[in-house]
Amino acid sequence: MTRDFFGEAARCLGLCDPSAKCAAVTLLAAAVQSGAVSLDFNTPALTESQPGRPALPDLVSPARVPRRRLGTPAGRAALVHAIAHIEFNAINLALDAVCRFRNMPEAYYTDWVSVAADEARHFCLLAVRLAELGSAYGDLPAHGGLWEMADCTADSCIARMALVPRVLEARGLDVTPGIIERLRQIGDTRTIAVLEVILREEVAHVAIGTRWFNFCCKREGKEPLPTFLELLQTRYSGTVRGPFNHEARLSAGFSPAEMEALTVACDG
């Protein structure tokens, strides 16, 4: 007997313990691959916007997140902790994209549950690295604003696809190579190995976002470039920042025209 895919995804989203969430997401992705779950579109769509999360880390403003020199184990632990927090939120964002939006092709849902499984694996790799550095997820405060984008795009799949993978995740494509280079200068090959896996796979995640953003644009009769720029202006409260990783963004589906427009917006 097959299980309800949406019910299973909602259960994963609601789990608070990171280890339990990662294990459940991994099993769900495997069940999707084997055909052990079915998509029942009569299952009610998600309306609540707060996913399950552990009591720790404490969520604070970005200014209060600890920043330490990478030359010390504590500094590297702070960096890895911050990235682990991003990956934990990315699990929930991918699951929310599955649970919240209906009337999308089946491939949309299998894409996003595969992203959730990748993010869970990234989190586990970072958790292992944190342990090697004498720390654990929850030991430090973390950025409290990462879920805001989910809230402000909860009513629109086209906005979610534009702003979560193509803004938040794409920013990781820009900054991770610089982090890797700084770690290389101090010989931290263990952390570099994890970040190289994440960077490579995040290109594919941004590409998935691009694919479904373009799908939504076509379905709604909109042009992707002006729609993306309009959503940046009307729904994104942050600032567009460079420099951009043009090679990675082009591989993830950004067009040359989009990169030119983002560069102009950044310069402006």
Side-chain angles (χ1 to χ4, degrees), residues 93 146 149-150 162-173 236:
L93 285 164
L146 289 173
M149 190 71 85
L163 299 181
V164 171
R166 306 190 87 234
V167 175
L168 295 187
E169 286 204 75
R171 184 61 183 157
L173 304 184
Y236 181 52

Side-chain angles (χ1 to χ4, degrees), residues 225-244:
L225 177 54
T227 301
F228 181 56
L229 296 177
E230 179 187 2
L231 289 167
L232 269 177
Q233 184 176 26
T234 59
R235 296 223 186 193
Y236 181 52
S237 60
T239 302
V240 178
R241 291 181 293 171
F244 300 112

